[in-house]
Amino acid sequence: MKTRQRTSWACTLAVLFLLTACVTTPPSPRRNGEVNCPQEPKATLVCSSYHAAATNMFAALARGDMATAMYYLSALTGASVTQQQAIINGLTHFFDEGNQIAGQCGDVARGGFQVLHRLGEFMGSRPYFLKIISTEKRLILGFELRTGVAKQLADNGVHIAVKFEGRVFDAYTGPGGMDEAEYLRRIHTYTGQEIASKEYASFPSLFRELE
């Protein structure tokens, strides 16, 4: 009986040790599609996978919830608080709505690319420039914001954005970016969705053609 009790206590202690180790494990980058999360600040937060954590981080950025964005950023990257703040500040600055001026997309994309490249170094991913062109003679490109307001993207039929982890980022999406399919659906010309797009590892030309 005593031997059986000792065995039971040993098993209990082993389980408690493993549970404690799981709770205190620091956040880490991508690992087999899962993410080790820090202690959750809110009971409603869910961080069960790498994809979910990335999606939740960008969603928090889109609604301006910086504390939650940094929580998920920590879970994804293991970056220090200073590094997290630099990434968040960079995204907020380069994709601010104040840059929603036709003709400025190149400068915005270059700055955003640098920030997302820094983020990608932690996440094991990389950004790309996304070049979008009008394939018709009337060259003006417009974009429908989430609010329903239409803005002019370009008057020369060329727009440059940044693509990262399946999302597109520019001044019109805000720092949280937008799902690529949704982003492309929101671009319009005078006669419909006559556009083409292509990814580039380095900054593309501003000519109305896909090299």
Side-chain angles (χ1 to χ4, degrees):
M1 180 65 71
K2 290 183 178 180
T3 301
R4 188 174 299 174
Q5 288 177 340
R6 290 196 190 98
T7 303
S8 177
W9 274 108
C11 290
T12 301
L13 290 173
V15 170
L16 289 173
F17 174 79
L18 288 173
L19 288 174
T20 303
C22 289
V23 171
T24 57
T25 300
S28 64
R30 183 194 319 224
R31 185 179 298 168
N32 298 325
E34 296 182 354
V35 172
N36 294 326
C37 297
Q39 184 176 358
E40 296 184 3
K42 300 177 183 178
T44 56
L45 294 181
V46 178
C47 188
S48 59
S49 69
Y50 177 87
H51 178 73
T55 299
N56 289 340
M57 181 192 74
F58 288 124
L61 277 174
R63 64 178 180 266
D65 185 351
M66 299 308 169
T68 300
M70 288 183 67
Y71 161 78
Y72 283 113
L73 183 57
S74 172
L76 285 166
T77 66
S80 68
V81 173
T82 301
Q83 291 168 328
Q84 292 173 46
Q85 288 175 335
I87 292 170
I88 296 294
N89 291 341
L91 287 172
T92 302
H93 172 72
F94 286 111
F95 300 108
D96 183 80
E97 65 180 12
N99 292 320
Q100 293 177 0
I101 301 173
Q104 290 191 0
C105 65
D107 292 337
V108 174
R110 286 189 182 94
F113 183 91
Q114 292 177 358
V115 177
L116 288 167
H117 186 271
R118 192 181 312 146
L119 174 59
E121 288 178 336
F122 286 105
M123 295 172 61
S125 187
R126 62 168 299 171
Y128 293 88
F129 290 103
L130 183 67
K131 181 177 178 179
I132 300 143
I133 65 168
S134 167
T135 59
E136 59 185 320
K137 292 181 179 180
R138 304 195 73 169
L139 304 180
I140 293 178
L141 291 174
F143 186 81
E144 182 184 350
L145 302 176
R146 289 188 176 96
T147 59
V149 175
K151 291 273 188 137
Q152 184 174 329
L153 277 179
D155 56 11
N156 64 345
V158 179
H159 180 66
I160 308 294
V162 184
K163 181 178 175 180
F164 180 76
E165 288 285 314
R167 300 182 72 82
V168 178
F169 298 79
D170 66 11
Y172 301 85
T173 67
M178 186 178 288
D179 177 78
E180 182 179 10
E182 179 185 359
Y183 179 86
L184 293 176
R185 282 197 303 269
R186 290 177 177 271
I187 297 178
H188 57 82
T189 63
Y190 279 109
T191 58
Q193 300 287 343
E194 298 183 32
I195 60 171
S197 63
K198 185 178 178 179
E199 297 177 16
Y200 297 83
S202 57
F203 192 81
S205 75
L206 293 176
F207 294 108
R208 197 171 63 89
E209 61 184 22
L210 299 180
E211 301 88 350

